[in-house]
Amino acid sequence: MKLITWNVAGRVKKLPRQIEYLATLQPDIITLQEVTKTTAPLFKDLLPSLGLKHIVCSLDFVIDSSYLKGPRRYGLIIAAKWDLSNPEIGGELITWPERFLSVTVETPHLPIKIHTTHIPPGSSNGWIKIEMLEGIFQTLVAENYPYRILSGDFNMPQEELPTGEVITWAYKKNSKGEYIPGRRNERWDEGERNIIIGLKEHDLEDVYRKLYGYSKEGFSWLLKMKEKTWKRRFDHVFASNDLHPVHAEYLHEARIEKASDHAILEVMFDIKEHTNKREEVKHENFRL
């Protein structure tokens, strides 16, 4: 099973090219971030041609759409080759509910609970970022479902060192290039760290690091300022161990071509051995 997650950057003119990239990759499931009220209908029209006939969009679940502007103009899409059930957006724990979309994908092998999110950057939205991360963490810890995937654009971490040390945005670099505590406090550090590291204890492990450790550099977003370049691994897929991820790769061609400012993250799972376990999974409706 192939899953693609991609922040499509709300680029209307690039949408046909984005569809071409997705068609080339032939995914079974996709999760998209930075979908807008303009691009959502276009994706809904075009994705079925890729075999992704089952589509849900978080913007469709917003009762009062008057606030979908400015930093909140973005939504999410999950699309799959197979039936989708129990679609819903974030509940009371999620500050911006349209930024957390969940469905159950009825694969031929077993049902998988898919979550996708787009965490707003703290640089422009302050503590909303941490409130979102805290709400998602509480939601996922309380959830009781055997096969789960969390994907999306998390706008973190700041850096990952080959030693396995994760640097959150609670830290800053001094003139010596050393990371020291910044103006953000321990709550900020914990909010980011609970997701990027802490979900492992709740059977949602960072697939890329699970497969390759910290010796392999990966990034999904690039910042260039004058002669300096910063590589950030902002886009992630976390998954239950029983889904057996076997491959994860950041694909940069679309980013380099400026179809989006984010790389595509492609993840492969080997779930065939669970075919006979399908009847063991109890379907329940989970309120987020």
Side-chain angles (χ1 to χ4, degrees):
M1 182 187 80
K2 180 187 290 188
L3 180 142
I4 293 292
T5 188
W6 192 15
N7 182 327
V8 292
R11 299 185 177 181
V12 181
K13 293 182 178 179
K14 294 291 185 177
L15 195 146
R17 190 70 180 110
Q18 292 172 347
I19 292 293
E20 290 177 1
Y21 276 113
L22 293 172
T24 301
L25 295 172
Q26 298 182 321
D28 298 302
I29 303 170
I30 64 167
T31 67
L32 303 178
Q33 302 82 44
E34 289 201 23
V35 176
T36 68
K37 289 188 286 187
T38 300
T39 60
L42 300 175
F43 277 116
K44 290 177 185 178
D45 287 342
L46 295 172
L47 289 175
S49 67
L50 310 186
L52 303 168
K53 298 180 180 180
H54 307 277
I55 305 167
V56 295
C57 178
S58 67
L59 300 179
D60 294 338
F61 293 84
V62 176
I63 298 174
D64 178 10
S65 62
S66 63
Y67 61 76
L68 295 178
K69 55 187 177 181
R72 293 193 66 173
R73 65 188 180 276
Y74 298 120
L76 310 161
I77 277 180
I78 299 176
K81 292 181 177 180
W82 307 294
D83 287 341
L84 305 178
S85 61
N86 305 324
E88 55 188 347
I89 58 175
E92 295 180 356
L93 293 176
I94 311 298
T95 307
W96 290 359
E98 72 280 359
R99 293 288 191 93
F100 187 68
L101 178 63
S102 306
V103 300
T104 301
V105 181
E106 306 288 344
T107 81
H109 308 290
L110 45 82
I112 302 174
K113 191 78 171 183
I114 305 283
H115 304 283
T116 193
T117 188
H118 175 201
I119 302 300
S123 58
S124 54
N125 297 280
W127 284 95
I128 291 174
K129 175 181 184 178
I130 301 305
E131 291 172 0
M132 285 285 295
L133 293 173
E134 290 172 340
I136 290 172
F137 183 72
Q138 292 175 48
T139 296
L140 296 175
V141 167
E143 189 175 63
N144 180 24
Y145 204 90
Y147 307 109
R148 300 185 293 167
I149 293 173
L150 169 67
S151 67
D153 173 8
F154 293 81
N155 274 298
M156 64 171 192
Q158 181 175 180
E159 192 172 348
E160 297 164 298
L161 305 182
T163 58
E165 183 180 1
V166 175
I167 309 298
T168 71
W169 289 104
Y171 289 81
K172 65 178 182 179
K173 268 187 178 181
N174 61 19
S175 58
K176 298 179 181 179
E178 303 168 329
Y179 282 106
I180 60 174
R183 58 182 175 82
R184 294 160 176 163
N185 60 19
E186 292 181 4
R187 179 188 168 193
W188 193 292
D189 182 68
E190 183 180 24
E192 293 194 11
R193 202 172 293 278
N194 274 346
I195 296 291
I196 200 71
I197 298 174
L199 284 177
K200 180 180 179 179
E201 298 180 11
H202 303 278
D203 196 30
L204 280 171
E205 188 171 356
D206 181 341
V207 168
Y208 193 82
R209 291 303 174 209
K210 174 184 174 67
L211 292 173
Y212 309 120
Y214 286 85
S215 59
K216 182 175 180 178
E217 181 187 44
F219 72 97
S220 60
W221 188 79
L222 196 66
L223 174 63
K224 292 183 178 181
M225 293 181 64
K226 297 181 179 180
E227 297 180 356
K228 292 186 177 181
T229 299
W230 291 269
K231 296 178 180 179
R232 308 295 190 197
R233 196 173 72 93
F234 283 165
D235 300 80
H236 307 281
V237 169
F238 304 86
S240 299
N241 287 314
D242 280 347
L243 293 177
H244 297 289
V246 294
H247 170 79
E249 184 176 1
Y250 292 98
L251 307 175
H252 291 276
E253 184 179 351
R255 180 189 61 80
I256 293 170
E257 190 186 298
K258 298 183 179 180
S260 172
D261 57 344
H262 284 251
I264 297 169
L265 175 53
E266 176 187 72
V267 178
M268 297 288 296
F269 298 91
D270 182 8
I271 61 174
K272 294 179 182 179
E273 68 178 74
H274 292 286
T275 302
N276 295 328
K277 291 187 177 182
R278 183 179 178 85
E279 296 302 322
E280 299 176 13
V281 180
K282 296 181 180 179
H283 291 266
E284 297 180 12
N285 291 326
F286 295 97
R287 295 305 304 169
L288 302 181

